[in-house]
Amino acid sequence: MLRTLLPKLLVAGALGTLAATTATAHHGFSWAEAEQIELTGTITEISFAPPHPSMQVQAEDGVWTVELSNPGKTQRSGFVEGVANVGDAVTLIGNRSKDPEELRMKAVRVTVGNKTYDIYPERIETN
């Protein structure tokens, strides 16, 4: 019985490790700086599709990729389709990529017009 069970356990273990590695690489803030920055610009592209809603923002130094949270958490903040559109001015607070060559951030707060959406309220640094 151990001979037939061992290969199945090895495959299950390998798949579990792969899933955990993929989830860790994809989620969280491990790829981002600890210090938060403010970014202002114009939305050039916006998507609310899984796994993470995101947008492209034209700022003074180039086009940034801005990641939000998962669709559910992003929607609970009130940031839903229609509240921001291509061409809108946006101000973001978030954590930029540790790679200084990469224009990418994980936003914790989004402001469009006079409305603010706290995507990760527990992570917003107050001074």
Side-chain angles (χ1 to χ4, degrees), residues 43-93:
I43 299 170
T44 60
E45 188 178 319
I46 189 166
S47 170
F48 287 90
H52 293 286
S54 63
M55 63 180 90
Q56 300 292 309
V57 175
Q58 177 68 58
E60 285 185 16
D61 58 348
V63 178
W64 285 69
T65 298
V66 178
E67 295 182 12
L68 304 173
S69 185
N70 65 62
K73 187 170 182 123
T74 300
Q75 288 173 356
R76 284 190 296 278
S77 76
F79 195 73
V80 296
E81 285 190 67
V83 301
N85 297 292
V86 169
D88 288 347
V90 64
T91 300
L92 303 145
I93 296 174

XYZ file of all heavy atoms in Angstrom, residues 43-93:
378
model
N -5.213 58.594 -15.491
C -5.492 57.192 -15.788
C -5.495 57.002 -17.308
O -6.211 57.691 -18.026
C -6.844 56.750 -15.202
C -6.840 56.904 -13.680
C -7.177 55.314 -15.612
C -8.206 56.710 -13.023
N -4.662 56.066 -17.790
C -4.631 55.755 -19.220
C -5.274 54.407 -19.524
O -5.602 54.121 -20.671
C -3.185 55.768 -19.767
O -2.417 54.780 -19.065
C -2.549 57.136 -19.604
N -5.436 53.583 -18.489
C -6.066 52.267 -18.644
C -6.533 51.838 -17.270
O -5.866 52.104 -16.267
C -5.038 51.278 -19.187
C -5.573 49.937 -19.576
C -4.481 49.043 -20.154
O -3.636 49.542 -20.928
O -4.478 47.851 -19.804
N -7.682 51.161 -17.207
C -8.190 50.686 -15.919
C -8.907 49.357 -16.128
O -9.585 49.162 -17.135
C -9.113 51.737 -15.255
C -9.462 51.344 -13.823
C -10.334 52.019 -16.096
C -10.068 52.475 -13.005
N -8.704 48.428 -15.193
C -9.315 47.105 -15.272
C -9.771 46.676 -13.884
O -9.036 46.841 -12.910
C -8.311 46.089 -15.818
O -8.827 44.780 -15.680
N -10.943 46.121 -13.812
C -11.458 45.588 -12.550
C -11.457 44.063 -12.545
O -12.037 43.430 -11.686
C -12.869 46.128 -12.282
C -12.859 47.574 -11.885
C -12.950 48.564 -12.850
C -12.708 47.950 -10.573
C -12.908 49.899 -12.507
C -12.667 49.283 -10.209
C -12.767 50.261 -11.181
N -10.773 43.470 -13.507
C -10.739 42.017 -13.654
C -9.835 41.366 -12.606
O -8.856 41.959 -12.176
C -10.237 41.662 -15.048
N -10.174 40.126 -12.194
C -9.299 39.375 -11.294
C -7.980 39.062 -11.976
O -7.919 39.082 -13.205
C -10.089 38.084 -11.037
C -11.501 38.368 -11.452
C -11.415 39.426 -12.501
N -6.922 38.772 -11.274
C -6.914 38.576 -9.826
C -6.856 39.886 -9.060
O -7.246 39.935 -7.902
C -5.650 37.764 -9.588
C -4.721 38.179 -10.678
C -5.608 38.471 -11.867
N -6.369 40.966 -9.653
C -6.319 42.255 -8.973
C -6.722 43.357 -9.927
O -6.123 43.491 -10.991
C -4.898 42.568 -8.470
C -4.446 41.661 -7.383
N -4.909 41.749 -6.099
C -3.582 40.632 -7.383
C -4.347 40.816 -5.365
N -3.541 40.112 -6.128
N -7.715 44.163 -9.559
C -7.970 45.346 -10.351
C -6.685 46.175 -10.436
O -5.874 46.179 -9.505
C -9.055 46.077 -9.558
C -9.772 44.971 -8.837
C -8.680 44.009 -8.464
N -6.511 46.837 -11.554
C -5.283 47.608 -11.745
C -5.546 48.763 -12.697
O -6.601 48.840 -13.328
C -4.181 46.713 -12.308
O -4.558 46.228 -13.581
N -4.574 49.653 -12.774
C -4.665 50.750 -13.721
C -3.274 51.152 -14.164
O -2.282 50.838 -13.515
C -5.425 51.942 -13.129
C -4.784 52.596 -11.923
S -5.722 53.995 -11.289
C -6.780 53.183 -10.116
N -3.237 51.815 -15.300
C -2.023 52.423 -15.803
C -2.205 53.919 -15.594
O -3.262 54.471 -15.922
C -1.817 52.110 -17.285
C -1.693 50.631 -17.599
C -0.410 50.045 -17.042
O 0.671 50.554 -17.258
N -0.541 48.949 -16.315
N -1.181 54.559 -15.043
C -1.273 55.987 -14.732
C -0.086 56.706 -15.349
O 1.071 56.366 -15.073
C -1.308 56.207 -13.196
C -1.268 57.697 -12.863
C -2.553 55.554 -12.595
N -0.380 57.699 -16.173
C 0.661 58.536 -16.763
C 1.026 59.608 -15.745
O 0.214 60.453 -15.389
C 0.157 59.194 -18.059
C 1.159 60.139 -18.698
C 2.376 59.407 -19.245
O 2.249 58.529 -20.079
N 3.554 59.766 -18.765
N 2.258 59.531 -15.258
C 2.785 60.514 -14.308
C 3.919 61.267 -14.998
O 4.255 60.983 -16.153
C 3.284 59.800 -13.051
N 4.525 62.208 -14.301
C 5.615 62.996 -14.887
C 6.777 62.139 -15.351
O 7.408 62.434 -16.353
C 6.113 64.035 -13.885
C 5.185 65.218 -13.720
C 5.779 66.282 -12.820
O 6.999 66.274 -12.550
O 4.996 67.143 -12.381
N 7.063 61.068 -14.612
C 8.236 60.245 -14.921
C 7.939 59.016 -15.766
O 8.806 58.187 -15.986
C 8.962 59.847 -13.641
C 8.078 59.081 -12.677
O 6.852 59.047 -12.873
O 8.614 58.523 -11.699
N 6.715 58.857 -16.245
C 6.379 57.722 -17.090
C 5.042 57.115 -16.733
O 4.286 57.659 -15.935
N 4.756 55.959 -17.330
C 3.493 55.253 -17.091
C 3.712 54.215 -15.993
O 4.566 53.336 -16.120
C 2.973 54.576 -18.371
C 1.691 53.799 -18.088
C 2.730 55.612 -19.461
N 2.943 54.341 -14.935
C 3.022 53.441 -13.787
C 1.939 52.372 -13.876
O 0.813 52.651 -14.280
C 2.808 54.221 -12.494
C 3.970 55.042 -12.064
C 4.455 56.168 -12.669
C 4.800 54.809 -10.931
N 5.533 56.642 -11.975
C 5.766 55.829 -10.893
C 4.814 53.838 -9.943
C 6.736 55.898 -9.922
C 5.778 53.906 -8.955
C 6.734 54.923 -8.958
N 2.289 51.168 -13.461
C 1.316 50.109 -13.246
C 0.920 50.168 -11.782
O 1.780 50.102 -10.898
C 1.910 48.726 -13.572
O 2.266 48.706 -14.953
C 0.918 47.609 -13.272
N -0.367 50.319 -11.537
C -0.870 50.443 -10.168
C -1.776 49.257 -9.881
O -2.794 49.075 -10.542
C -1.639 51.767 -9.977
C -2.189 51.862 -8.558
C -0.746 52.961 -10.303
N -1.381 48.457 -8.901
C -2.188 47.314 -8.492
C -3.026 47.684 -7.290
O -2.568 48.408 -6.403
C -1.275 46.134 -8.142
C -0.497 45.623 -9.325
C 0.368 44.435 -8.973
O 0.211 43.846 -7.875
O 1.222 44.078 -9.805
N -4.257 47.176 -7.267
C -5.147 47.383 -6.135
C -5.241 46.060 -5.380
O -4.357 45.218 -5.502
C -6.499 47.881 -6.632
C -6.421 49.153 -7.490
C -7.775 49.493 -8.094
C -5.885 50.319 -6.699
N -6.293 45.865 -4.624
C -6.464 44.603 -3.905
C -7.269 43.646 -4.772
O -7.547 43.920 -5.939
C -7.177 44.856 -2.580
O -7.249 43.663 -1.824
N -7.677 42.533 -4.186
C -8.537 41.605 -4.921
C -9.864 42.303 -5.233
O -10.196 43.318 -4.617
C -8.715 40.304 -4.135
C -9.456 40.526 -2.833
O -10.610 40.950 -2.817
N -8.803 40.239 -1.721
N -10.636 41.776 -6.184
C -11.876 42.462 -6.575
C -12.837 42.737 -5.420
O -13.410 43.825 -5.336
C -12.495 41.517 -7.603
C -11.325 40.812 -8.205
C -10.361 40.626 -7.060
N -12.995 41.787 -4.504
C -13.931 41.975 -3.390
C -13.525 43.113 -2.475
O -14.340 43.975 -2.128
N -12.270 43.135 -2.074
C -11.785 44.177 -1.167
C -11.808 45.539 -1.860
O -12.160 46.548 -1.258
C -10.380 43.846 -0.670
C -9.881 44.792 0.393
C -8.599 44.284 1.029
C -8.174 45.231 2.119
N -8.044 44.607 3.402
N -11.442 45.563 -3.138
C -11.470 46.814 -3.889
C -12.904 47.341 -3.970
O -13.155 48.533 -3.734
C -10.872 46.617 -5.295
O -9.506 46.184 -5.146
C -10.903 47.890 -6.106
N -13.859 46.472 -4.251
C -15.266 46.885 -4.323
C -15.783 47.367 -2.974
O -16.520 48.360 -2.900
C -16.131 45.731 -4.825
C -15.930 45.429 -6.287
C -16.671 44.175 -6.733
O -17.286 43.467 -5.926
N -16.606 43.891 -8.019
N -15.384 46.696 -1.889
C -15.844 47.106 -0.557
C -15.356 48.512 -0.193
O -15.981 49.204 0.584
C -15.415 46.088 0.498
C -16.264 44.823 0.482
C -15.992 43.913 1.671
N -14.655 43.374 1.707
C -14.218 42.318 1.033
N -15.038 41.690 0.213
N -12.980 41.897 1.159
N -14.258 48.937 -0.792
C -13.767 50.296 -0.534
C -14.627 51.333 -1.253
O -14.498 52.528 -0.995
C -12.316 50.430 -0.997
O -12.246 50.535 -2.414
N -15.478 50.878 -2.179
C -16.298 51.776 -2.977
C -15.700 52.062 -4.341
O -16.326 52.708 -5.182
N -14.469 51.592 -4.569
C -13.814 51.808 -5.855
C -14.291 50.725 -6.810
O -13.770 49.617 -6.839
C -12.292 51.793 -5.692
C -11.574 52.346 -6.889
C -11.578 53.698 -7.147
C -10.901 51.507 -7.759
C -10.919 54.217 -8.255
C -10.234 52.004 -8.868
C -10.254 53.364 -9.126
N -15.334 51.059 -7.572
C -15.979 50.116 -8.479
C -16.003 50.708 -9.883
O -15.714 51.891 -10.081
C -17.416 49.791 -8.018
C -17.417 49.088 -6.665
C -18.266 51.056 -7.957
N -16.360 49.878 -10.848
C -16.438 50.355 -12.234
C -17.328 51.586 -12.310
O -18.394 51.633 -11.703
C -16.979 49.252 -13.141
C -15.946 48.177 -13.409
C -16.372 47.202 -14.482
O -16.484 47.637 -15.648
O -16.583 46.032 -14.131
N -16.843 52.586 -13.032
C -17.617 53.804 -13.243
C -17.214 54.974 -12.356
O -17.536 56.107 -12.670
N -16.533 54.715 -11.232
C -16.133 55.841 -10.374
C -14.851 56.503 -10.865
O -14.543 57.621 -10.471
C -15.985 55.448 -8.879
C -17.290 54.897 -8.331
C -14.855 54.477 -8.656
N -14.123 55.810 -11.742
C -12.910 56.359 -12.349
C -12.854 55.872 -13.790
O -13.226 54.732 -14.081
C -11.672 55.903 -11.590
N -12.395 56.745 -14.657
C -12.349 56.416 -16.075
C -11.036 56.870 -16.687
O -10.338 57.726 -16.125
C -13.513 57.100 -16.803
C -14.853 56.610 -16.313
O -15.212 55.459 -16.531
N -15.589 57.465 -15.630
N -10.734 56.329 -17.853
C -9.566 56.770 -18.599
C -9.691 58.279 -18.808
O -10.763 58.781 -19.139
C -9.476 56.020 -19.948
C -8.426 56.642 -20.848
C -9.183 54.544 -19.710
N -8.589 58.987 -18.542
C -8.571 60.440 -18.672
C -8.745 61.183 -17.357
O -8.469 62.376 -17.280
N -9.206 60.475 -16.318
C -9.385 61.114 -15.010
C -8.047 61.344 -14.326
O -7.147 60.499 -14.393
C -10.245 60.250 -14.082
C -11.712 60.224 -14.457
O -12.135 61.068 -15.286
O -12.432 59.357 -13.921
N -7.950 62.470 -13.635
C -6.792 62.725 -12.769
C -6.950 61.863 -11.528
O -8.055 61.677 -11.012
C -6.726 64.196 -12.398
N -5.833 61.334 -11.034
C -5.864 60.446 -9.880
C -4.663 60.732 -8.985
O -3.587 61.089 -9.462
C -5.888 58.953 -10.328
C -4.618 58.572 -11.058
C -6.141 58.005 -9.182
N -4.879 60.618 -7.683
C -3.797 60.691 -6.709
C -3.814 59.382 -5.944
O -4.863 58.943 -5.460
C -3.978 61.873 -5.740
O -3.998 63.082 -6.507
C -2.849 61.933 -4.721
N -2.653 58.765 -5.841
C -2.530 57.456 -5.203
C -1.524 57.521 -4.070
O -0.514 58.217 -4.174
C -2.052 56.423 -6.230
C -2.941 56.316 -7.452
C -2.126 56.039 -8.680
C -3.984 55.261 -7.243
N -1.789 56.780 -3.021
C -0.816 56.554 -1.965
C -0.597 55.055 -1.937
O -1.551 54.268 -1.976
C -1.304 57.062 -0.598
C -1.466 58.576 -0.644
C -0.348 56.644 0.515
C -2.064 59.183 0.597
